[in-house]
Amino acid sequence: MKVLITGSKGQLGTALQRCAPVDAEIVAVDMDVLDIADSAAVDAFVGEHRPALILNAAAYTAVDKAEADEDAARAVNADAVAHLARAARDAGARLVHVSTDFVFDGTSGIPYPPDAAPSPLGAYGRTKLLGEVAAGAEALIVRTAWVYAPTGGNFVRTMLRLMAERPEVRVVADQIGTPTYAPDLARALWTLADQSASGLYHYTDSGAASWYDFAVAIQEEALAAGLLDRAVPVIPIATADFPTPAKRPHFSVLDKTKTVAALGAPAPHWRSNLRLMLSEIKTNG
């Protein structure tokens, strides 16, 4: 089976390649090879390679920058998805598209099920929601959140650097969500694709945390693993104390009941996956 993976250099794109089924013929591209925002380029590339499955792991994820340049975010998060969806239909391929918890406004007090009404707070969420619509009813759309991996730019690696450099770190404590280990997300996407699933699904690690909780756990686990040689104070702050151009949802935990039923088991808890990630960093750098 030939599979086109977009966003191949990102955390998820890398993980999708590493855990691909042995019978998958992978065509992995990033924006330097295929500009998915270019309709003609997408048509030509998909027409040439004729994949049976397209896994779209590409996204414009600069949440704050999107507020000042929503057109650029829309080009990647929505327009490009429409191009991929159309090309997939023309080639007889299935499309798997990855979306975000930012399609919700964070006012719920309980985890959001896939059929909850979206209400994005900012440009990033708006463009990702448009991307869901553009993917179409035949696509598999998986919302996720707070993705991290041993490589690439993410909250875990940023915290490790700041904790090594600074006398203290200040972290927002009133935004609640769930981290997601990219390799597990990738495996879930492959499994759901193999089941020919379609429609909306949610996938993150199990559990919930604030960014502050996550940071405290990062320091504790990194000290235990020998990745940090000293502890620094981790100071909880309010969102209002750390203003950003984009508003973030205060509560964006996703209900994974539908996905757990499809996969046959819940995802590991985020702290277990954090420990696993740090172990890999210690081993491989």
Side-chain angles (χ1 to χ4, degrees), residues 11-281:
Q11 296 179 107
L12 179 56
T14 299
L16 284 166
Q17 294 170 73
R18 289 178 177 173
C19 67
V22 294
D23 63 341
E25 179 186 347
I26 302 299
V27 179
V29 297
D30 214 274
M31 291 292 281
D32 57 346
V33 174
L34 173 62
D35 180 1
I36 59 173
D38 183 331
S39 177
V42 170
D43 287 344
F45 194 90
V46 173
E48 175 186 354
H49 292 276
R50 307 296 294 185
L53 179 66
I54 299 174
L55 297 172
N56 183 31
Y60 183 109
T61 58
V63 175
D64 290 319
K65 189 176 178 181
E67 292 300 308
D69 197 358
E70 189 164 350
D71 288 345
R74 186 185 303 109
V76 178
N77 291 343
D79 298 343
V81 183
H83 304 332
L84 290 169
R86 185 193 61 254
R89 287 191 295 271
D90 291 346
R94 290 182 292 120
L95 174 64
V96 177
H97 175 61
V98 180
S99 192
T100 175
D101 59 329
F102 272 54
V103 300
F104 299 116
D105 60 15
T107 59
S108 175
I110 58 174
Y112 285 94
D115 60 357
S119 181
L121 295 175
Y124 171 66
R126 285 193 296 271
T127 60
K128 290 296 286 183
L129 182 58
L130 289 172
E132 293 183 4
V133 175
E138 297 176 353
L140 167 62
I141 302 167
V142 180
R143 295 179 181 135
T144 190
W146 299 19
V147 177
Y148 66 102
T151 59
N154 56 66
F155 183 77
V156 179
R157 295 190 68 89
T158 297
M159 283 295 107
L160 291 175
R161 176 177 57 80
L162 294 179
M163 288 168 176
E165 295 174 353
R166 297 185 178 181
E168 67 176 32
V169 293
R170 300 165 63 83
V171 185
V172 170
D174 58 356
Q175 294 174 23
I176 310 297
T178 308
T180 306
Y181 190 44
D184 278 358
L185 172 59
R187 283 186 282 269
L189 292 173
W190 280 116
T191 300
L192 291 170
D194 185 60
Q195 296 174 357
S196 297
S198 62
L200 283 166
Y201 286 76
H202 288 168
Y203 186 90
T204 66
D205 293 351
S206 294
S210 68
W211 289 111
Y212 168 77
D213 296 328
F214 198 17
V216 169
I218 291 166
Q219 178 164 255
E220 291 176 353
E221 297 293 347
L223 286 167
L227 292 172
L228 293 173
D229 56 15
R230 63 186 176 93
V232 300
V234 181
I235 310 300
I237 62 172
T239 297
D241 297 326
F242 188 71
T244 57
K247 293 181 179 179
R248 268 84 169 161
H250 283 287
F251 181 91
S252 60
V253 178
L254 300 176
D255 184 325
K256 279 87 68 178
T257 304
K258 178 181 177 182
T259 310
V260 170
L263 298 178
H269 192 274
W270 65 263
R271 184 135 186 174
S272 296
N273 273 343
L274 170 62
R275 195 174 300 126
L276 185 65
M277 175 207 173
L278 294 176
S279 176
E280 184 166 339
I281 289 177

